[in-house]
Each structure stands twice: as structure tokens, then as C-alpha cells.
Amino acid sequence: MNYVGEHLWVGQLGNAFIVLSLIAALFSGIGYYFYAKETLTSEWKKFANTAFTIHSISVIGIAATLFYMLFNHFYEYSYVWQHSNNEMPMQYIMSCFWEGQEGSFLLWAFWNVVLGNILRKTIDAKWEAPTMAIFALVQVFIASMLLGVFIGDYKLGTNPFILLRENPEFANLPFVQMENYLEKLDGRGLNPLLMNYWMTIHPPTLFLGFSSTLVPFVFAIAGLWKRDFTTWQKPALTWTFFSIMILGTGILMGGAWAYEALSFGGFWAWDPVENSSLVPWLVMVGAGHVMIINKNKGGSLFMTHLMAISSFLLVLYSTFLTRSGVLGNSSVHAFTDLGMQGQLVIYVLTFVFICVVLLIHDKLIRVSYVMISLLMLFAGITFGYKINLLLTWLALSFIITIYSYIKFFPKEEEEESLYSREFWMFVGSLVFLLSSLVITYFTSIPVMNKLFNLEKAPIKIADYNLWMIPFTIIVLLLVAVTQYFKYKKTDPKLFLKHISLSGILAVVFGLSAVIPLYFLKDYSLAKSIDKWNLISYGFLFISALFAVFCNLDYWMRILKGRMRHAGASIAHIGFALILLGALISTSKKQTISQNTSQKNVASLGENFNAQKSLVLTKGDTLPMGNYLVTYKGKERKGIDVFFNMDYFTKDANGKLIKAFELSPMVQDNPRMGQASNPDTKHFLSNDIYTHITYADLADNTVTKKDAYKEPTNFVGHMNDTIFADNAIIKIDSITTNLTEDEYSKNDSLLIVTAVLKATDINGRVYRATPKYILKQNMVLPDEFVLDELGLKFIFWKINPNEGSVEIQMSEKVSNTKEFVVLEAYMFPFINVLWLGCLVMVIGTIVAIIERRRLNKLKAQ
């Protein structure tokens, strides 16, 4: 069959770039390996650099080809058809690029190429070969994720350039069987949650952060390779804090997106994918601080290697979690399984294997470990028992790592003093590591369920908070006081003198805020466990203030206000403000949308609660928190339906004064149904956050009096629900006057009745019984009019294979009064959190600039 309008050359070009990128990365890695072995040095260096340049051009070529396909809507390609459509605004084409697994892997490869080229142009010759060899190997694995080829029954990667008609998921769709299927073909479109400006900048920033963890990792591996455990840390330190800044910024952008686009009412939900980005950042923060210890005093060598390596390995593990399908429905962010679970496991384990091999000093143990690992891999592929062999191998690797550390790794000659800066920086890094292990354990519950056939439920947000608050308090206290310690030893009296003023201020201001916030009203009403929560909130609040005051004091008094040297203090202030803002805004989050109407909101379903769901009829003005709110009506812009609401306050004379307007939106997306997007009014001291939980999106404009709107067709099963403007209708039962055999024998009149129960906004229940009438294989339409609600039903089709029925419903305009159900929250002092984000990023940038300046001075 000759298909009309297909642009096959584009896919062929993209596939050529993929193959070329894989081969070039492989050759580059081989070249850098032999360059590192000092064999034919200049020839291998030239060969490796040329291959990496070709690889870089190929990756850019893949990205340019995919963008070209998306911009031109080449729907013959599965990736383009799945993630874009004709109606999509052009600014979201970038979001289409990285919505799917293939695009996100490509984005990761692109940033690795950018950082890899910067690294090889700026790195010392001593470290170029070993670092770039590992860099190239990582690119080999990522390029393999884009191949989409079968080796026997095993699929290697998933290809962004596969044709729609060749994709096994869609090849049997009827329209693909036609020669001219592209003439009227439109794409499925973008996930509506990604149609937000944050999603054009958050993913690339986050993936740049993921890529940046690779640089400290390759330096640490190079240190093990060359048996030089110290000097690699000097060039790696600046890259480490760059990674802390970029990855942290990406995570914070994700929180801002969740706050603005998702309807759970917050910015952090301890979602497994959120955790998978947070954990590498926590470990990288710890790595950066132990590197500072090593730079100023020496020591902490094993901890430096462990944390620099672990951060990247945790990025790989997060890749496995989010792309293997193992999370299932436990995360709203996770990708579905595209058959790459085994490949992702091999990806993670390969780099664990390399780290352990390079850590082993004894040649006999190293060779034995390699042979045992290969034999276990062969046994797993050939005979099965993969889980048992994997767990055994991980245990073996752990034991060898501990043995190598004890036996061969350099140790500190003397222990740090209790009153030294390096001791408490090390303790802080250890706290970051332990907290990341706790989060990783809880995030990995779906993995443990799969490995051990368990049915353990993921823990709730409150449980995460309960576990993390003690870690957070300890970190804040360390952030507050550690800078006042000197390296090696500090006078305890002088230390206490320095921190005493900040401590007094933190306690005084903290208690004056904590007592009215948490104890005057809440304490007497709280249960025993909640009382402990309130006490922990108080300690966390005071600790955050203590960290802010101490670092501000250190900047102003010890550093004399000099900006150049204040990067750490500024970043610490920002970190403390983030935690302070998060604490206040979440713990004192107030629901202001209690139902003040006379409507029974509970009748709409179990998800509607009078304590949080306000029923607002068009034209009515109802109290909501400190405001009165009026629903003015809806406005459709493309697939977006905006619900315009005015908020009023009263002046001294009781007259209503318009305060502001909000327009929460519901996206009427043909692919994913109705997706609610909140709207928020930002004040200096709080935010008013609103989102729609129920609304009719149909156009109610009808000119003829008492006419019905255009009918809407519903396909449903028993107990399914149909929504009208003024009622919720449940398909309660289906009855018939004849069995199938009786009808086939007598060719009699078959009457099938759908029993519908309609519940109005006041909780009154009405019964409707539209009939499906079949006589001599001819359907005789029969209307049922429910006058009390102004509804008309036609039961016109039965789908016996699917067990469903189809019912048309029309609503009479004269009896329909438009209403919405909304939820609204007040987040107090959330701007403290956003201010902290900005301050922390600025502080990290200042620290990076100063670090680079000092490195240049020492190099001169």
C-alpha cells in the first residue's frame, strides 16, 4: 500500500542520527579509555575527541529532527501523534518534546553533551581521559534507550521516530489502514497538566540538574581509577555547587508548577517522583560540604567519594523508578512501562559494578568479583532466579565495598575535635545522607512489593512529615551554628558568645509567633499525637529563625557585610526561609470554602463535603472566608473554560467593594476529559487559592424560550453517573420484558428499561425510566421527560459486547440554573517560601563565582 503524504525521510534521518550517536559515544569511550591507559596518547586523544564531537552533533541532530517533526505536525510518526495536535499553542511544542520517555531521554543526552563539551575544554589534562571515558559510557547507555530495536525477543530502547502505522499499540487502528489516513488526522494532544508555562522551563532545568550530578560522579570515579583520592575534589567542587544550584532550582520550579497547575492544594506532596529528584539533591548537598572539609583540612575521603558517586547513582535509580512502570498508580508523574525495565536495571547496576571494581585494590579480589558478577548475570539470563541472584550480588558488592574501605582506603590520622567546623559539617552531611535513605526506603515500597510479593501501602504525607521534621530541625541547627566554628578547634566560650544573641532573638520571636499560631486555639482541641505535631512545629519554627539570625549575624558582623564571601551565609538564609515558609503555609493552611449556600453539596457525591465545597449559583453572592464571592458566568477560549468570580469586601458602611477577580479554569480536553487548573490571588501576607471541582462545560446559550439544549450522548454501565447542571443521575438498573431467547423465537416487541435515579442539589431524588424499544429489528425512539428537573432522556443504543448502554440527555434552559462547586484555601506567608528560593539560588551563585575566582588566583 502506498501511503499518501508521509515524510519518511525525516524519520530515516533521525534514526541515522541515533545510530551514529551510539557508535560515536562507544568509540569515544574506547578512545578515552586507552588515552587514560597512556597507550599512544596523542592518537587516542584525537580519536576520542573527534568521536565525542560526532556524538554531540548527532544528539543535536536527533533533537532538531524531533522538533522539526513536532513543529510541522507530522502525525505519521507515533511520538508526534501522541503528544501534540493542531489546536495546541506553539509555546507548548517544547513541552511535547519532553512529555514522553523518548523525549526526556533525549533531553538528558543533550544536557550531557553540553556539560561534557564544557568539561573537556576546561579540565586539566590529568583528569580528561578518565572522566570523559565514563561520560561517554553514560551516553552509550542513554543513546541505547532511543534505539527501539529487537534483539531476539528483547526490545532495546524505544524509538521516537517509529511510524504510527508500525507502532504495535496503534497499528490495528482502522484509520491507519487507509492510504490517505493523514488527510484529516489530528494528534491526541498534550497532557493538559503540562500546558503551563512552568512546564516549558521546569523539565529542562531539572534534567540539567540531573546531568550536572554526572560531573562530580566522573571525577570521583576518576579518583578511584587513578588512586588519587584528593586532588580531583578541587575541580569537582565548583561543579558540585553548580549541581546543587541547578537541581535545587529545578525541584523548586516543580513545586511552583504543582502549586499553580495541580488541584491538590499545595506545592509538595511527597510524590515518589518528587522524592526521586529531592534525594539526589540532598546527597549532593552533603557531598559539597564534605568536599569543603577536604579542601580546608583534608580527610573525609571515603565520605566524599561515597556521596559524589551516590548522588548520580540515585539519579539512575530515580530513572528506573519513573520509567520502568514499577510505581504504577502511586505517582502522577511516572511514565508507563514501555518494556525497558530490564534495560534500566542493567543501566543502574553497570555503574554500581564499575564503582565497586575500581574501589577494590587487591587484583585477585577484583578479578574474582568480576568473574562472579558475570557468572551470576549469565545464570540469571539462562536459568532465572533473577531476584535472588540480584539480592545476592548486591549483598556481595556491599561487603566488598566495606572490606575495601577498611583495608585499603586512606583514613584520617586524627579525629576531629568536637569544637571544630569540620566535625559539625561532617555531621550535617551525615544527616542529609540518613534523611535521603529514609525517603528512598519509603519511596521504594512499590519496588519492595514487586521483589518480595508484598502488599505494603505507601505511607501518607503526614507520615513523611513526621519522619522528616526531626532531620530538618537538626539540619537547621547545624546551618545556624557551624559557620561560627573554626577549622580544627574553637574556643567554646567564644562560640557561645557569638551565637547567644541570635539564639535569644530566635526564642523570643519564635515563641511570640508559635504560641498564638499553634497553641492558643489548636492545642486544647488537638489529640495527643497532634499535640506532639504542634510541639514539633514550634521547634522547627524556632530552629528556622535561629538559622536565619545566625547566618545574617555572621554575614554582617564576622564577614563585615562583604558580599563576595557571603555566598554560604546567603544560601543558608534562603534554605531556612524555604523551610519556614513551607511550615507556616502548610500547617496553617485554611479552608475558606465551607458551603454557605442552602444547597446540599453532599448529594453530588462522596467527594463533595460541606466543610470544603462551596456551591455557587450564577448571580448569587455568598460569604467565603473574609470575602463575599459572586459567580458571574463562564467563558470558553478554545478548550479552556474560565469561571469568572468577583471577590468583595465591605467598607465601614457595609457597602460591597470589589477586592479582586479570579478565573479558575477547567480544560475540556478531548484526550483526558476535564482537568481543573486553579487560580490564585497573591497578597504579600497570604495567597487565596481556588479551583473548580464541579461544573457544566456545555454552552447554555439558547435563544428559544423553554427549548432544550443540544443533546449530550453518554456511554455508561450499571451504577455509572451522568452529570446535569442541576442534578446527578445514576444508572440504577436495567430491566427487560423478554429474555433474548424469547425475543428470537417470537420476534416480539422487546422493551429494555433503564431505571435512572436523579438527585438534585437539595438532595431530592427523582426517577426516570427511558425505554429502548426494538420491534422487528428496528429501534423505536422513545423520550422520557422528567419535568421536575427539566431533563429529557432517550435510551437509544445497547452495546452487548461491552456491557454498556447509550443514553442521550437534553436539558431545558428555562429550568436550568448554572452553578459550580469550588474549593478555596488561604495559604498564609507562602511568599516567605518563594523568597527563600530566590535567596538560596543567589547565595549559591555567589559561592560558585567566588570559588571560581579563588581557583583562578591559585592557578596563576
Side-chain angles (χ1 to χ4, degrees):
M1 184 181 295
N2 294 320
Y3 292 95
V4 179
E6 291 185 334
H7 305 83
L8 299 181
W9 67 269
V10 182
Q12 292 165 356
L13 179 63
N15 283 316
F17 278 131
I18 289 175
V19 173
L20 184 59
S21 73
L22 176 64
I23 295 172
L26 183 61
F27 284 164
S28 178
I30 293 171
Y32 282 120
Y33 173 79
F34 284 110
Y35 175 29
K37 300 288 283 186
E38 299 181 0
T39 306
L40 300 175
T41 302
S42 59
E43 289 81 359
W44 281 117
K45 178 180 180 180
K46 183 177 180 181
F47 173 81
N49 284 334
T50 302
F52 197 84
T53 300
I54 294 172
H55 167 73
S56 302
I57 294 170
S58 300
V59 170
I60 294 171
I62 300 169
T65 304
L66 187 56
F67 266 124
Y68 180 76
M69 289 162 47
L70 287 166
F71 276 115
N72 290 281
H73 302 298
F74 289 168
Y75 296 128
E76 60 267 37
Y77 291 98
S78 178
Y79 194 87
V80 179
W81 180 75
Q82 288 185 77
H83 302 292
S84 68
N85 61 13
N86 293 331
E87 296 180 359
M88 182 185 305
M90 291 303 293
Q91 65 262 32
Y92 296 128
I93 289 294
M94 294 181 69
S95 298
C96 297
F97 181 91
W98 44 70
E99 183 191 20
Q101 288 216 35
E102 302 91 331
S104 61
F105 275 122
L106 182 54
L107 180 62
W108 192 3
F110 170 79
W111 283 128
N112 281 353
V113 160
V114 172
L115 297 182
N117 281 285
I118 294 173
L119 181 65
R120 71 188 180 101
K121 296 293 184 183
T122 58
I123 197 171
D124 291 339
K126 175 182 177 180
W127 297 111
E128 181 182 0
T131 56
M132 291 305 299
I134 302 299
F135 228 105
L137 182 60
V138 170
Q139 290 298 84
V140 169
F141 274 94
I142 296 181
S144 72
M145 298 292 178
L146 301 174
L147 279 178
V149 298
F150 282 89
I151 301 175
D153 294 330
Y154 183 77
K155 184 183 179 185
L156 190 65
T158 176
N159 192 300
F161 301 111
I162 186 173
L163 290 167
L164 180 62
R165 56 183 170 83
E166 293 178 351
N167 189 323
E169 290 186 46
F170 311 115
N172 295 322
L173 293 175
F175 68 86
V176 180
Q177 312 303 321
M178 299 183 293
E179 292 182 353
N180 60 342
Y181 74 99
L182 290 174
E183 282 188 4
K184 298 181 179 180
L185 184 61
D186 193 7
R188 292 171 59 183
L190 187 66
N191 183 326
L193 297 178
L194 302 183
M195 296 181 69
N196 180 282
Y197 65 92
W198 279 113
M199 293 312 292
T200 62
I201 56 175
H202 160 56
T205 306
L206 188 66
F207 273 89
L208 177 57
F210 287 155
S211 294
S212 67
T213 64
L214 177 56
V215 182
F217 172 79
V218 297
F219 271 114
I221 294 297
L224 294 177
W225 188 344
K226 294 296 185 180
R227 299 288 184 258
D228 182 348
F229 304 110
T230 303
T231 58
W232 67 267
Q233 297 186 41
K234 179 181 176 182
L237 185 57
T238 301
W239 283 101
T240 300
F241 278 92
F242 172 78
S243 180
I244 291 169
M245 179 190 70
I246 294 297
L247 184 54
T249 302
I251 294 169
L252 294 172
M253 284 181 175
W257 164 70
Y259 183 66
E260 288 201 11
L262 302 184
S263 56
F264 68 85
F267 47 83
W268 193 263
W270 294 108
D271 180 274
V273 176
E274 294 173 345
N275 297 347
S276 296
S277 59
L278 175 65
V279 167
W281 183 81
L282 292 173
V283 177
M284 187 59 74
V285 171
H289 286 79
V290 289
M291 284 183 192
I292 292 175
I293 295 174
N294 181 267
K295 170 183 171 293
N296 289 281
K297 177 190 172 290
S300 301
L301 295 178
F302 181 77
M303 195 68 169
T304 308
H305 284 79
L306 174 66
M307 300 189 83
I309 290 170
S310 296
S311 184
F312 178 70
L313 292 180
L314 285 165
V315 169
L316 298 187
Y317 181 63
S318 72
T319 304
F320 165 75
L321 282 179
T322 56
R323 287 165 171 77
S324 65
V326 71
L327 290 178
N329 296 322
S330 62
S331 172
V332 299
H333 302 74
F335 294 91
T336 56
D337 183 13
L338 294 182
M340 294 195 297
Q341 193 171 107
Q343 189 176 351
L344 290 166
V345 170
I346 294 295
Y347 187 8
V348 177
L349 297 184
T350 296
F351 287 96
V352 174
F353 171 77
I354 291 172
C355 294
V356 177
V357 168
L358 292 176
L359 188 61
I360 301 171
H361 284 230
D362 188 282
K363 186 174 182 180
L364 178 60
I365 297 176
R366 187 189 309 125
V367 172
S368 300
Y369 174 74
V370 171
M371 295 302 296
I372 291 171
S373 299
L374 293 176
L375 286 172
M376 293 177 75
L377 176 62
F378 175 78
I381 294 173
T382 307
F383 304 110
Y385 305 104
K386 295 178 182 177
I387 293 177
N388 292 333
L389 287 169
L390 173 61
L391 295 175
T392 303
W393 182 81
L394 289 174
L396 174 65
S397 300
F398 179 75
I399 292 169
I400 289 177
T401 300
I402 298 300
Y403 172 78
S404 298
Y405 164 66
I406 295 173
K407 190 75 175 175
F408 304 110
F409 216 85
K411 312 292 190 307
E412 289 77 18
E413 294 181 0
E414 59 181 72
E415 293 187 0
E416 294 89 350
S417 167
L418 181 65
Y419 292 99
S420 65
R421 180 180 293 189
E422 60 269 22
F423 176 82
W424 291 108
M425 287 178 69
F426 183 85
V427 170
S429 298
L430 196 60
V431 172
F432 273 109
L433 181 62
L434 291 175
S435 65
S436 68
L437 290 175
V438 171
I439 297 171
T440 301
Y441 170 78
F442 289 128
T443 305
S444 300
I445 286 175
V447 179
M448 292 185 286
N449 287 342
K450 188 164 186 175
L451 285 175
F452 304 111
N453 294 318
L454 303 175
E455 295 183 358
K456 188 176 177 64
I459 69 169
K460 298 178 181 178
I461 294 176
D463 297 321
Y464 268 114
N465 293 337
L466 191 64
W467 275 91
M468 286 299 107
I469 284 178
F471 287 110
T472 308
I473 292 173
I474 294 171
V475 167
L476 284 169
L477 293 175
L478 292 173
V479 162
V481 304
T482 300
Q483 287 188 101
Y484 287 98
F485 286 105
K486 296 179 180 179
Y487 286 104
K488 295 186 178 180
K489 196 168 184 181
T490 305
D491 181 359
K493 293 182 179 178
L494 183 63
F495 166 75
L496 291 174
K497 180 182 178 181
H498 281 155
I499 68 168
S500 58
L501 177 60
S502 297
I504 293 170
L505 290 175
V507 171
V508 171
F509 283 100
L511 289 177
S512 63
V514 164
I515 291 173
L517 273 175
Y518 297 116
F519 294 98
L520 292 183
K521 293 182 180 179
D522 298 343
Y523 190 75
S524 60
L525 301 175
K527 300 177 182 177
S528 58
I529 188 171
D530 292 330
K531 292 178 181 179
W532 285 112
N533 282 341
L534 296 178
I535 292 172
S536 67
Y537 293 163
F539 277 114
L540 181 56
F541 192 103
I542 293 171
S543 300
L545 284 182
F546 186 42
V548 171
F549 289 143
C550 276
N551 281 277
L552 191 60
D553 174 64
Y554 188 86
W555 179 16
M556 294 293 112
R557 189 158 54 88
I558 307 298
L559 298 178
K560 310 298 183 184
R562 289 173 294 188
M563 186 75 173
R564 175 185 291 178
H565 303 294
S569 297
I570 296 171
H572 291 164
I573 291 171
F575 180 72
L577 289 175
I578 289 173
L579 295 173
L580 184 63
L583 170 66
I584 300 173
S585 61
T586 54
S587 64
K588 300 305 295 181
K589 170 184 171 183
Q590 181 182 351
T591 303
I592 60 174
S593 54
Q594 292 86 0
N595 189 26
T596 54
S597 72
Q598 301 301 312
K599 309 293 192 297
N600 180 16
V601 68
S603 65
L604 294 175
E606 60 182 16
N607 293 325
F608 298 92
N609 186 324
Q611 297 302 312
K612 64 176 183 178
S613 302
L614 172 64
V615 181
L616 200 56
T617 305
K618 184 177 179 179
D620 286 354
T621 301
L622 296 175
M624 191 176 78
N626 296 326
Y627 301 94
L628 290 102
V629 59
T630 298
Y631 171 44
K632 298 191 298 181
K634 59 176 178 273
E635 178 184 6
R636 178 178 285 271
K637 296 179 181 178
I639 61 173
D640 298 331
V641 182
F642 294 87
F643 296 85
N644 301 317
M645 301 177 187
D646 285 340
Y647 287 74
F648 298 91
T649 56
K650 289 184 178 180
D651 62 12
N653 299 320
K655 183 180 178 182
L656 292 182
I657 301 173
K658 184 176 177 179
F660 57 91
E661 180 179 340
L662 288 177
S663 298
M665 181 262 286
V666 175
Q667 190 176 112
D668 191 12
N669 192 285
R671 173 182 169 188
M672 300 191 62
Q674 297 179 7
S676 178
N677 277 285
D679 194 14
T680 305
K681 178 64 177 178
H682 303 285
F683 294 100
L684 187 62
S685 61
N686 62 72
D687 279 3
I688 304 297
Y689 172 102
T690 63
H691 73 275
I692 300 294
T693 56
Y694 171 79
D696 177 29
L697 305 186
D699 185 3
N700 297 334
T701 305
V702 179
T703 55
K704 196 173 180 179
K705 186 179 179 182
D706 291 339
Y708 285 91
K709 294 187 288 183
E710 285 293 321
T712 305
N713 188 61
F714 296 92
V715 181
H717 303 77
M718 288 279 293
N719 297 317
D720 279 356
T721 301
I722 301 171
F723 289 96
D725 273 354
N726 57 353
I728 290 182
I729 301 99
K730 178 183 177 183
I731 304 176
D732 190 63
S733 62
I734 303 291
T735 63
T736 179
N737 66 326
L738 296 174
T739 65
E740 186 176 352
D741 288 340
E742 289 173 339
Y743 174 72
S744 60
K745 289 178 182 178
N746 301 320
D747 196 22
S748 304
L749 186 71
L750 175 66
I751 302 176
V752 181
T753 304
V755 179
L756 310 178
K757 287 188 176 179
T759 305
D760 69 8
I761 196 67
N762 296 308
R764 291 188 291 267
V765 179
Y766 302 89
R767 191 167 181 266
T769 55
K771 294 177 173 56
Y772 175 86
I773 302 173
L774 191 65
K775 184 176 183 180
Q776 296 179 349
N777 291 322
M778 181 181 295
V779 178
L780 303 178
D782 180 67
E783 292 184 350
F784 185 95
V785 178
L786 189 60
D787 287 323
E788 294 88 344
L789 297 176
L791 301 176
K792 180 168 63 177
F793 301 95
I794 300 176
F795 181 9
W796 70 280
K797 190 175 182 181
I798 298 175
N799 303 310
N801 294 332
E802 300 176 4
S804 62
V805 298
E806 298 191 31
I807 298 172
Q808 284 189 351
M809 182 186 72
S810 304
E811 302 180 61
K812 187 182 287 186
V813 174
S814 58
N815 278 20
T816 300
K817 197 164 185 181
E818 184 183 335
F819 73 94
V820 296
V821 180
L822 76 150
E823 293 181 9
Y825 304 97
M826 190 270 288
F827 287 95
F829 297 103
I830 195 169
N831 285 329
V832 174
L833 185 152
W834 307 127
L835 174 64
C837 296
L838 182 62
V839 172
M840 187 175 73
V841 171
I842 291 173
T844 309
I845 292 173
V846 171
I848 292 171
I849 293 172
E850 176 63 8
R851 187 70 55 196
R852 286 184 58 81
R853 187 186 70 84
L854 293 176
N855 288 342
K856 288 180 180 179
L857 287 175
K858 290 179 180 180
Q860 291 176 355

